[in-house]
């Protein structure tokens, strides 16, 4: 970079390691932080630290929560017999924002990725099977991304859940191949769930 002091370059590097922030934005944010008052910077740091400390994974669905179990799992108005399986918490947020879905979730925290050596054991797949094995589940909707990793993850889960004789569906219709769930708009996402197909 343009002969900035090392400390500032370091800050820019850390900020640009965050998702969705390119070098130019990172530079702007770094310079903005440096222009902030000490108390505001402290508030920002404390908020990040406290959020990180208080937020953990829901032991049922692995969504993020600051309570014992997440608001969705704790909500009696949701349909607990339908589980929507997503790769990441941001996918859950996207589906929640679309407002159509009223079941519960299961967050895998990734997808099977042979290229990067991410295997089923690295994901919350075993926990999903345990949930289904407990009974009272009518349907599992697999909402992994419509790409290679998402598709092989869906097939793998389907194979594991087959013995439980529940309905297994896949959202795909309406989602163009390659569109990641968290980038799809609410209408497209609602349609993709509504028109899910049994697999
Ligand atoms: Zn939960």
């Amino acid at each position: 970079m343009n002969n900035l002091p090392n400390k500032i370059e370091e800050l820019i590097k850390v900020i640009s390691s965050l998702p969705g922030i390119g070098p130019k934005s990172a530079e702007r944010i770094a310079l903005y932080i440096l222009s902030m008052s000490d108390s505001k910077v402290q508030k920002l740091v404390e908020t990040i630290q406290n959020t990180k400390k208080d937020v953990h994974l829901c032991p049922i669905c692995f969504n993020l929560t600051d309570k014992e179990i997440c608001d969705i799992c704790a909500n009696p108005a949701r349909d607990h017999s339908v589980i929507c399986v997503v790769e990441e918490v941001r996918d859950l947020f996207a589906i929640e924002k679309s407002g159509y879905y009223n079941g519960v979730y299961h967050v895998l925290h990734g997808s099977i990725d042979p290229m990067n050596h991410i295997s089923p054991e690295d994901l919350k797949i075993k926990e999903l099977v345990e949930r289904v094995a407990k009974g009272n589940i009518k349907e599992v909707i697999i909402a992994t991304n419509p790409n290679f990793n998402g598709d092989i993850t869906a097939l793998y889960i389907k194979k594991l859940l087959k013995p439980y004789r529940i309905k297994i569906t896949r959202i795909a219709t309406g989602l163009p191949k390659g569109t990641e769930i968290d980038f799809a708009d609410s209408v497209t996402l609602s349609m993709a769930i509504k028109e899910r197909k049994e697999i």
Side-chain angles (χ1 to χ4, degrees), residues 66-120:
D66 57 359
K67 308 203 179 83
E68 200 180 325
I69 59 171
C70 79
D71 287 339
I72 297 169
C73 287
N75 186 349
R78 308 279 303 216
D79 184 352
H80 290 259
S81 71
V82 181
I83 299 177
C84 180
V85 177
V86 293
E87 290 180 21
E88 303 289 352
V89 172
R90 61 175 186 268
D91 303 327
L92 181 157
F93 286 174
I95 295 174
E96 278 302 285
K97 258 188 255 159
S98 77
Y100 173 78
Y101 180 66
N102 191 43
V104 292
Y105 292 92
H106 191 92
V107 186
L108 297 173
H109 289 272
S111 57
I112 299 171
D113 184 354
M115 298 289 284
N116 291 303
H117 309 289
I118 297 176
S119 63

Side-chain angles (χ1 to χ4, degrees), residues 57-63 65 69-74 105 131:
L57 297 181
C58 169
I60 300 171
C61 73
F62 304 97
N63 181 16
T65 182
I69 59 171
C70 79
D71 287 339
I72 297 169
C73 287
Y105 292 92
R131 272 178 90 178

Side-chain angles (χ1 to χ4, degrees), residues 124-161:
K124 305 289 184 194
I125 291 181
K126 179 167 60 74
E127 291 84 349
L128 172 66
V129 178
E130 283 166 8
R131 272 178 90 178
V132 172
K134 276 188 196 150
N136 302 320
I137 304 297
K138 285 202 304 254
E139 180 180 356
V140 167
I141 303 167
I142 305 175
T144 50
N145 281 315
N147 54 29
F148 178 73
N149 292 343
D151 286 343
I152 55 172
T153 306
L155 287 177
Y156 183 83
I157 291 172
K158 184 202 158 190
K159 206 177 84 191
L160 285 183
L161 296 182

